[in-house]
Amino acid sequence: PQRALQGHTMRQMKDSGIEWIGEIPEGWEVRKIKNIAFPKSIQNHPQEEVLSLYRDFGVIIKSSRDDNFNRTSENTTNYKFVEVGDLVINKMKAWQGSLAISWYQGIVSPAYYVFKLTSDIIEKKFLHYLLRSSTYLPEYRRISGGIRPNQWDLDITEFKKIPVLIPPLPEQQRIADYLDAKCAHIDQCLELTRQSMEKLRAYKLSCITEAVTKGLDPDVPLKDSGVPWIGQIPAGWKITRLKFIAPMQCGYAFKSENFLIENGIPLVRMSNLKRGEIDLTDSVKINYSNTIEEFLIFEHDILLGLSGSIGETGSLGNYAIAKKENLPCLLNQRVGRFRISPQIRYELLIYFLATDFFKKPLELEATGTAQFNISPTAIGNIFVPLPPLPEQERIAAYLDKKCARIDALLEEKQALLDKLAEYKKSLIFECVTGKREVPSCWNR
């Protein structure tokens, strides 16, 4: 069979004999991992630099980034030695793409696999792209065993049987160079889009902060709030504590032996609070007969995570508003619910929770080490600027429109991110399997 590839000349194709790869060009070979590499486990190199393996970046020097919270052992003598050009595999996350050729010498966790390449018919960078491509990931999942996704363990014996595509060496080098250049350009576009999204989020937060602490009239007379971190507020506003306008109720410690997967009412746990929304996709459920009525959640209830890590992705202080489509559901322990009084609009409180005037005191009052906790008492003592009710309504309506416009722009940019990521994935797949031909005249 022949296939025309995006304007390139026709090339002869053949069946690879591998269902999940399909056709490959004539002249390409198929070998197995065991034919080109073997596992090694060299230890006793504690003086070497500790390396980290990222799904997105591959193998890097751990100290070069500050977002890896895996602790390095005090004694690293049993860590595995990695040489430049070795294949490093996180056996529990290979199915997510966590394997890569290392361009650094160093040491990695003893739980990782390290393979040394033994064949001169394979270009390391080509193999790097091939084994990390989307077509291989389901195969890693197939040969991984375990009960839960975060405990799946790649079977090294089966991994050594994985087929590897071997184009002629000059073509491997050409494909690797081509993908280096194209992926670098895509990555640059991805990074610029992410930076643009961060600026939009910062602008959204500044709009919210200004509106909930200064109002909408730039010429209104101001007065000292008496709270140093809030500063001045409009003259007609007052400062109060959360407990006087929105006291908090804690959830109930439902017994895990009563948890169900189906045919029950979902429990809202901290993991179900996602970016202002309740996500019940992975919720556990409980029989209604085992519930307590006062912990039923109602529409417009505002929920807050009371435990967990601190920061943008942490569960402590993560909030969500209950919507009709979430109901019925129940309030689980370590999730709090604000009981809104007639003095404040729930929409305004939601906007206030997004500001640093809520987040910073919450973080300062949190207790714990690995996992932080915040008490309803500490939350209740946080100060809130409180406009008159008619002004609350105007502010909420203004922010609804303003934030909706910003959110629409963020959605467009997220769609672009997804499109670029998908294009990068398909480009790599097509090139490393020969379905897209890299012209012999191509160069950087």
Side-chain angles (χ1 to χ4, degrees):
Q2 291 183 331
R3 177 172 295 175
L5 294 171
Q6 303 202 0
H8 298 312
T9 56
M10 304 285 281
R11 74 190 306 192
Q12 202 74 17
M13 304 293 284
K14 66 179 181 182
D15 184 6
S16 68
I18 308 161
E19 183 180 354
W20 44 275
I21 288 180
E23 290 184 329
I24 59 174
E26 290 279 2
W28 286 33
E29 299 179 40
V30 178
R31 301 283 183 92
K32 294 181 179 179
I33 290 286
K34 65 183 180 181
N35 301 134
I36 63 166
F38 71 87
K40 68 176 193 177
S41 184
I42 301 173
Q43 299 175 322
N44 295 310
H45 284 74
Q47 75 284 356
E48 294 286 347
E49 192 86 53
V50 177
L51 305 176
S52 287
L53 176 56
Y54 281 76
R55 181 182 59 191
D56 296 328
F57 310 120
V59 178
I60 65 168
I61 296 173
K62 184 177 181 182
S63 60
S64 67
R65 295 183 66 92
D66 59 4
D67 58 352
N68 187 327
F69 304 108
N70 293 328
R71 290 187 176 182
T72 301
S73 299
E74 291 184 12
N75 183 356
T76 58
T77 54
N78 65 337
Y79 275 43
K80 293 182 179 178
F81 180 53
V82 175
E83 297 173 276
V84 174
D86 285 348
L87 174 64
V88 180
I89 306 169
N90 181 336
K91 63 182 180 179
M92 297 178 72
K93 294 183 178 179
W95 61 279
Q96 295 178 330
S98 193
L99 73 168
I101 298 293
S102 177
W103 312 117
Y104 302 96
Q105 179 172 298
I107 51 176
V108 295
S109 165
Y112 287 8
Y113 293 139
V114 178
F115 277 74
K116 184 174 184 63
L117 301 190
T118 57
S119 175
D120 57 5
I121 66 170
I122 191 78
E123 163 66 38
K124 295 180 177 67
K125 180 58 74 71
F126 174 80
L127 185 66
H128 175 84
Y129 281 116
L130 178 70
L131 295 182
R132 287 165 57 85
S133 66
S134 58
T135 192
Y136 274 77
L137 303 190
E139 190 65 7
Y140 303 147
R141 169 64 190 99
R142 186 186 69 80
I143 63 174
S144 296
I147 300 173
R148 299 175 182 173
N150 61 353
Q151 295 178 346
W152 285 338
D153 200 345
L154 185 73
D155 186 314
I156 192 169
T157 302
E158 290 299 315
F159 178 76
K160 288 190 284 187
K161 299 176 185 177
I162 292 278
V164 177
L165 306 183
I166 312 286
L169 196 56
E171 189 172 0
Q172 292 182 51
Q173 294 166 339
R174 191 166 67 246
I175 291 170
D177 288 344
Y178 177 82
L179 288 175
D180 277 349
K182 293 295 183 182
C183 290
H185 178 66
I186 296 170
D187 289 342
Q188 184 181 35
C189 293
L190 286 166
E191 181 57 28
L192 289 172
T193 304
R194 291 189 189 101
Q195 290 176 10
S196 175
M197 293 176 73
E198 285 305 307
K199 290 178 181 177
L200 277 172
R201 292 189 185 102
Y203 173 62
K204 177 181 175 181
L205 180 57
S206 70
C207 291
I208 292 171
T209 301
E210 183 71 15
V212 301
T213 59
K214 299 293 186 287
L216 304 178
D217 183 0
D219 300 320
V220 69
L222 300 176
K223 67 178 182 181
D224 184 13
S225 67
V227 182
W229 56 90
I230 291 179
Q232 292 188 317
I233 60 173
W237 293 24
K238 66 179 182 178
I239 283 286
T240 186
R241 294 184 187 270
L242 264 174
K243 62 185 176 183
F244 298 128
I245 57 172
M248 175 157 285
Q249 174 195 7
C250 289
Y252 183 73
F254 293 96
K255 295 181 179 180
S256 59
E257 56 261 34
N258 294 325
F259 288 178
L260 307 169
I261 301 300
E262 297 177 351
N263 301 323
I265 296 182
L267 299 184
V268 176
R269 300 182 292 177
M270 289 185 297
S271 59
N272 302 121
L273 308 182
K274 306 267 180 80
R275 295 183 179 181
E277 305 277 344
I278 297 176
D279 182 356
L280 297 175
T281 306
D282 298 317
S283 64
V284 298
K285 299 177 176 66
I286 197 164
N287 284 331
Y288 187 78
S289 59
N290 293 321
T291 68
I292 299 176
E293 292 281 342
E294 66 178 292
F295 297 100
L296 282 169
I297 295 172
F298 298 98
E299 187 177 9
H300 300 155
D301 276 353
I302 299 173
L303 312 181
L304 187 78
L306 303 178
S307 295
S309 57
I310 292 175
E312 290 298 321
T313 59
S315 55
L316 181 73
N318 200 1
Y319 61 89
I321 185 165
K323 298 180 179 179
K324 189 177 293 185
E325 57 264 30
N326 304 134
L327 307 179
C329 56
L330 288 155
L331 194 67
N332 199 37
Q333 65 175 336
R334 303 313 301 157
V335 178
R337 162 171 47 194
F338 288 107
R339 289 296 195 183
I340 308 298
S341 78
Q343 298 179 66
I344 187 168
R345 300 275 304 187
Y346 76 88
E347 301 98 329
L348 193 72
L349 180 56
I350 279 285
Y351 284 121
F352 177 76
L353 297 182
T355 71
D356 285 343
F357 297 120
F358 175 75
K359 292 178 181 178
K360 294 301 181 186
L362 181 128
E363 292 176 4
L364 287 172
E365 292 295 329
T367 59
T369 52
Q371 175 164 292
F372 294 90
N373 297 285
I374 187 76
S375 70
T377 300
I379 292 169
N381 284 327
I382 294 175
F383 287 102
V384 184
L386 191 66
L389 271 172
E391 193 167 357
Q392 291 183 38
E393 294 172 0
R394 289 195 299 274
I395 292 171
Y398 164 80
L399 287 175
D400 283 349
K401 291 180 181 178
K402 189 78 174 179
C403 293
R405 288 196 293 269
I406 298 172
D407 288 343
L409 290 173
L410 286 168
E411 285 181 13
E412 289 179 12
K413 291 185 180 294
Q414 183 60 53
L416 176 59
L417 280 182
D418 295 342
K419 188 174 181 179
L420 284 168
E422 188 58 37
Y423 171 65
K424 179 180 176 181
K425 186 190 300 182
S426 64
L427 176 70
I428 293 172
F429 163 73
E430 290 176 6
C431 288
V432 299
T433 59
K435 295 170 178 59
R436 176 190 293 250
E437 183 177 9
V438 177
S440 57
C441 60
W442 184 89
N443 58 55
R444 288 173 179 270

